[in-house]
């Protein structure tokens, strides 16, 4: 089993808090930090660019409305995707949920 770094856990829990699909979180955690990955995997760009969410390869092929629905169904943050959250305010809430074991 692979051990995640602290940075990777950070991404993982933010992904959960923001309601991102598990496949996309895993994909991001696996690849982020490799400086070449974006251009190589998404030569034509990807959906929701600039939102902070990067879909995995298969989710990137889904209709946008379907992805938005999936994300908002699981989302813990108070504003619906793809609206931006205030990370400074949300971080405390995210950490509290994490501490209580509510972030799954
Ligand atoms: Zn996905």
């Amino acid at each position: 089993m692979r051990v995640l770094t602290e940075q990777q856990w950070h991404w993982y829990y933010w992904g959960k808090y923001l309601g991102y699909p598990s496949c996309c979180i895993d994909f991001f955690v696996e690849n982020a930090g490799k400086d070449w990955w974006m251009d190589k995997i998404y030569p034509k760009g990807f959906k929701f660019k600039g939102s902070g969410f990067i879909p995995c390869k298969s989710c990137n092929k889904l209709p946008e409305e379907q992805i938005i629905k999936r994300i908002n169904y699981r989302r813990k943050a108070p504003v619906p995707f793809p609206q931006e959250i205030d990370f400074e305010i949300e971080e405390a809430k995210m950490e509290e949920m994490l501490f209580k074991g509510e972030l799954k």
Side-chain angles (χ1 to χ4, degrees):
M1 205 179 109
R2 223 164 53 83
V3 177
L4 298 185
T5 64
E6 201 176 317
Q7 175 65 76
Q8 286 173 317
W9 278 117
H10 186 79
W11 287 328
Y12 178 82
Y13 287 121
W14 269 117
K16 291 283 173 194
Y17 185 73
L18 296 171
Y20 300 162
S22 300
C23 48
C24 304
I25 296 174
D26 291 346
F27 182 74
F28 182 84
V29 166
E30 182 70 33
N31 291 293
K34 301 174 186 169
D35 52 9
W36 47 265
W37 74 291
M38 291 274 216
D39 294 338
K40 183 161 179 161
I41 297 170
Y42 305 106
K44 293 178 195 147
F46 53 88
K47 291 191 167 92
F48 306 109
K49 200 163 187 167
S51 71
F53 170 62
I54 299 173
C56 70
K57 274 194 265 186
S58 41
C59 289
N60 197 43
K61 292 177 191 141
L62 298 174
E64 290 193 7
E65 316 79 71
Q66 200 179 326
I67 302 175
I68 290 172
K69 227 170 144 181
R70 277 181 78 180
I71 291 176
N72 284 328
Y73 179 72
R74 294 186 187 79
R75 194 157 167 105
K76 316 274 195 256
V79 288
F81 182 79
Q83 277 180 53
E84 286 220 31
I85 63 154
D86 184 326
F87 274 92
E88 288 196 18
I89 294 172
E90 297 306 319
E91 185 153 35
K93 292 194 220 163
M94 188 274 274
E95 280 171 359
E96 192 185 336
M97 289 192 89
L98 182 58
F99 181 72
K100 289 181 178 165
E102 293 168 353
L103 211 56
K104 285 177 185 131

